[in-house]
């Protein structure tokens, strides 16, 4: 035990899901801070799905293997949403809308989601 408390030795997928959840929350927060008047949903969705990812990671760390499959299903859904949203956002940028930051952030979330799917599918 160290001064910060007992060291947690979570399985790799559990740690990954917890970090992915924090990543989603921070992306949602960044989206909201970039445009507080119009990006409240970014904070809500980042908090919701980030929080769920942390929950799946903690359950997986406690040996509840069903959490891996729920996390995989949720992340596949997020891939679909982020893929569609990034496509629409980049089209808006191409049409002259000032949405490059949002498009980049959503694309980053798509990449993080794809990496999570790959991580969860590995043995």
């Amino acid at each position: 035990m160290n001064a910060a408390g007992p060291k947690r030795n979570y399985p790799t997928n559990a740690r990954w899901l917890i970090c992915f959840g924090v990543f989603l929350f921070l992306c949602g927060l960044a989206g909201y801070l970039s445009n507080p008047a119009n990006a409240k949903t970014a904070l809500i969705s980042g908090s919701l799905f980030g929080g769920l990812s942390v929950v799946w990671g903690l359950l997986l760390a406690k040996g509840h293997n069903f959490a891996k499959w729920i996390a995989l299903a949720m992340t596949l859904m997020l891939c679909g949403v982020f893929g569609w949203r990034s496509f629409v956002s980049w089209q808006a940028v191409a049409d002259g809308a000032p949405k490059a930051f949002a498009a980049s952030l959503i694309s980053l979330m798509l990449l993080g989601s794809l990496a999570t799917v790959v991580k969860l599918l590995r043995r």
Side-chain angles (χ1 to χ4, degrees):
M1 181 166 4
N2 60 25
K7 183 178 180 205
R8 304 234 190 273
N9 192 16
Y10 291 154
T12 304
N13 282 342
R15 276 194 314 257
W16 182 279
L17 284 170
I18 292 167
C19 290
F20 179 60
V22 171
F23 166 76
L24 288 177
F25 171 75
L26 292 175
C27 286
L29 182 62
Y32 172 74
L33 292 176
S34 72
N35 187 358
N38 295 323
K40 288 179 180 71
T41 56
L43 183 58
I44 293 167
S45 61
S47 298
L48 174 68
F49 289 106
L52 284 172
S53 185
V54 168
V55 168
W56 306 141
L58 292 173
L59 285 171
L60 192 58
K62 291 187 179 276
H64 300 287
N65 290 328
F66 71 90
K68 174 183 175 179
W69 302 109
I70 295 173
L72 179 62
M74 180 189 81
T75 308
L76 283 168
M77 182 205 61
L78 289 175
C79 285
V81 170
F82 294 146
W84 167 69
R85 294 283 318 272
S86 62
F87 177 77
V88 170
S89 296
W90 284 114
Q91 275 189 324
V93 170
D95 291 340
K99 295 187 176 227
F101 181 77
S104 298
L105 193 58
I106 295 167
S107 296
L108 183 63
M109 293 168 86
L110 173 60
L111 291 175
S113 297
L114 289 170
T116 299
V117 167
V118 169
K119 179 72 174 160
L120 291 174
L121 288 175
R122 283 191 175 159
R123 292 198 174 255

